[in-house]
Structures are given as structure tokens and as C-alpha cells.
Amino acid sequence: MDLHLNGKVFIVTGGAKGIGAAISEVLCAEGAAVVIAGRNAADNAHQLSTLKEKGYTAWAVEAELTRVDDCKKVVDFTWQTCQRIDGLVNNAGVNDGVGLENGDPERFMQSLQKNLLHYYVMAHLALPALKQSRGAIVNIGSKVSLTGQGHTSGYAAAKGAINALTREWAVELLPYDIRVNTVIPAEVWTPLYASWIQTFPDPETKLASITRHIPLGKRMTKPEEIADMVAFLLSDRSSHTTGQIMVVDGGYTHLDRAIDVS
Ligand code: NAP
């Protein structure tokens, strides 16, 4: 299937690592140009050289997305360099474990800043360009917004708000033909996941206890499987899909817990 992404320009926040890196790679492989927004210069440079070695068109902007000025830097750079923005992928975030009992109001607010506010800021700033291109927004959410996880109020609140904003923005942007969707991962092996699993006393046992409950294949989702859904949702092959929350998780969140296909 040709996704018609050739020559299009996409911003991917957190595009240097994990799911974001897979998204930037898949979009480039489909012929698009990508601007990666990430705070770690070395990670940005590494991902950029990986993409360039394959002959892809990509740039990286060093940005700490909790700062509005840095978000503006990303959007301005993209506009000045490419004179168009066809889509925004809001992906950067961290499950920072700010709970009700173990957290405090200050850290809760910081968690919203890390996981929610820049989604709004980036969409707000990219909107004039997206109106011109009739572009698309894809947010990366989390299963936590649907199921809870415990001890992570800030992250859960942010991801729940992202689901709500997906519907809200889909409605507000109808007059501009801008589609807005969210992709929800559950258990995807990334640097973030690898460090999260290490917080358990016996990481290997914990990991096995999770993967054996993932119905399709008893395995983690691959970052590329999230990226493929994102590419489809950014493309005009999903031209009548908006306001949707797509769960790409091998059935982990919704299928009957009693099934046993072993
Ligand atoms: P990851 O491996 O940590 O990659 C995220 C990238 O975004 C990193 O390069 C990170 O930089 C960057 N980043 C994070 N916050 C940033 C900020 N404020 N400013 C600039 N860059 C920032 O994470 P991932 O697992 O790919 O997760 C990507 C998205 O998927 C997140 O929204 C996450 O909540 C969601 N998600 C992931 C899973 C999973 O199983 N992996 C499950 C559910 C939802 P640093 O390395 O400096 O932090």
C-alpha cells in the first residue's frame, strides 16, 4: 500500500529513541522528511546518522519540550527549513511514578508538564502550518489511561487528558480537514521500558509475568508495530479516520483474561 507520504514533512517529538525512533525511521522509509525533537544531543545525533546512512531526509532539533520556547524552536526550524508541516507526532513522555501516596502536588504538576503540556503547545504552535497542509496529528498515549497502573497519578492524568484532547481537537479541527488520532501502546520494549522493568526486585520474572498475559504471541509489541499504525494514521490512507484511540498491544488491554492459547 502506498501511503503517499513522499515529500511530506513530519515532526516527531522524542524521535531519537524507542517508539519515536521507530516512527521517524518508518516515516523516512515511506519517503517523508522528519524533524526529530529531543533533549539529548548525543541521542539526536545518533538517530540522525542512522537515518542519513540510509539516505533519508531528516533533521534534529535539541529541545527540552517542557519549555515553551524550545517547542517554538522546533516548529520554527521546521517551517523555515521545509516551508511545510504535514503532521505532528506527539510522542515524548515518561512514566515517572508520581503517585497519590508517594507523590506531592509539586511533582504531580511537573509530571503533567513532562507528559501533557507540550502535546498542547506543539499542536498549538504547529496549527497554522497544519491548516495549510490539511495535515494530521497523532498522539502517543498509554494503556495506563484506560486501566490505571497504581502509583503513577501524574502520568495517568496526562495520558487520560491526551485521550480527551484527541476527541476535542478532532472536533475543533474538522473545518480544516485536520485529523487527530491517538495510538496507545501497552508493553513495548524501548529504553524507557528497559529502565522501568529494572525498578522491580526481579526484573526477569516481572517481564515474564507480563508477556505471558499478552494474548497475541505472548510477546512485547515491537516499536515498529506502533510506528506502522502512526504512519497509516498520518497518511491519507486513513482519510476518514479521526478522533480515534487505537490500542496496538496484541490484545493485552481488551481481550478476555481467561483465554489460554498455549
Ligand atoms: P523512551 O525510550 O524514553 O524514548 C522517549 C524519547 O523522548 C527519549 O529520547 C527521551 O529523552 C525523549 N523525551 C522525553 N521527554 C522529553 C522532553 N520533555 N523533552 C525532550 N525529549 C524528551 O520512551 P518510549 O518507551 O519510546 O515512549 C514513547 C512514548 O510512548 C511515551 O509517550 C510513553 O509514555 C509512551 N508509552 C510507551 C510504552 C512502552 O511500553 N514503552 C507504553 C505506553 C506508553 P530522554 O532519553 O532524555 O528521556
Side-chain angles (χ1 to χ4, degrees):
M1 183 188 278
D2 181 357
L3 296 179
H4 308 143
L5 297 184
N6 211 14
K8 295 201 166 175
V9 175
F10 298 104
I11 296 174
V12 182
T13 71
K17 257 163 69 176
I19 291 169
I23 293 169
S24 56
E25 177 132 15
V26 164
L27 292 176
C28 283
E30 292 294 327
V34 165
V35 175
I36 292 164
R39 61 182 161 206
N40 185 306
D43 290 341
N44 287 352
H46 180 262
Q47 177 65 358
L48 209 51
S49 74
T50 305
L51 296 176
K52 297 219 168 200
E53 268 165 27
K54 295 184 176 172
Y56 297 154
T57 308
W59 298 268
V61 179
E62 199 178 320
E64 169 49 69
L65 296 159
T66 55
R67 298 192 198 116
V68 174
D69 283 353
D70 280 20
C71 293
K72 190 166 179 331
K73 186 168 76 171
V74 175
V75 173
D76 288 351
F77 172 88
T78 310
W79 182 253
Q80 280 155 19
T81 308
C82 305
Q83 284 84 50
R84 61 184 300 145
I85 301 173
D86 295 282
L88 166 67
V89 183
N90 275 321
N91 161 73
V94 57
N95 189 348
D96 50 2
V98 180
L100 192 56
E101 222 179 347
N102 68 8
D104 61 58
E106 184 63 27
R107 288 176 59 225
F108 179 79
M109 235 104 75
Q110 285 165 0
S111 182
L112 296 185
Q113 210 149 19
K114 289 175 195 169
N115 288 299
L116 174 62
L117 294 187
H118 57 86
Y119 277 49
Y120 175 87
V121 174
M122 288 298 295
H124 173 75
L125 294 173
L127 189 53
L130 292 173
K131 279 162 76 173
Q132 282 191 31
S133 63
R134 298 181 169 207
I137 298 173
V138 176
N139 299 315
I140 304 300
S142 171
K143 158 189 164 289
V144 170
S145 67
L146 305 174
T147 60
Q149 184 180 78
H151 313 292
T152 196
S153 296
Y155 184 71
K159 293 300 192 183
I162 286 162
N163 294 352
L165 288 177
T166 300
R167 297 257 149 81
E168 168 64 11
W169 295 348
V171 174
E172 182 168 335
L173 301 181
L174 287 171
Y176 309 117
D177 272 345
I178 297 173
R179 297 175 302 102
V180 186
N181 294 288
T182 279
V183 175
I184 294 210
E187 313 292 332
V188 187
W189 191 257
T190 64
L192 177 68
Y193 198 98
S195 61
W196 174 75
I197 207 84
Q198 288 303 326
T199 63
F200 293 91
D202 182 353
E204 268 182 40
T205 307
K206 177 69 184 174
L207 186 59
S209 77
I210 292 168
T211 50
R212 81 186 152 85
H213 290 296
I214 297 175
L216 195 58
K218 309 280 184 206
R219 64 164 177 86
M220 305 281 291
T221 306
K222 297 175 197 156
E224 299 71 29
E225 291 171 318
I226 304 292
D228 285 343
M229 179 60 84
V230 171
F232 174 68
L233 290 172
L234 287 170
S235 81
D236 61 18
R237 292 300 187 145
S238 62
S239 50
H240 216 204
T241 302
T242 194
Q244 297 307 303
I245 295 171
M246 308 286 199
V247 185
V248 179
D249 69 346
Y252 188 56
T253 308
H254 290 99
L255 296 190
D256 188 337
R257 295 285 151 142
I259 54 172
D260 183 359
V261 290
S262 57

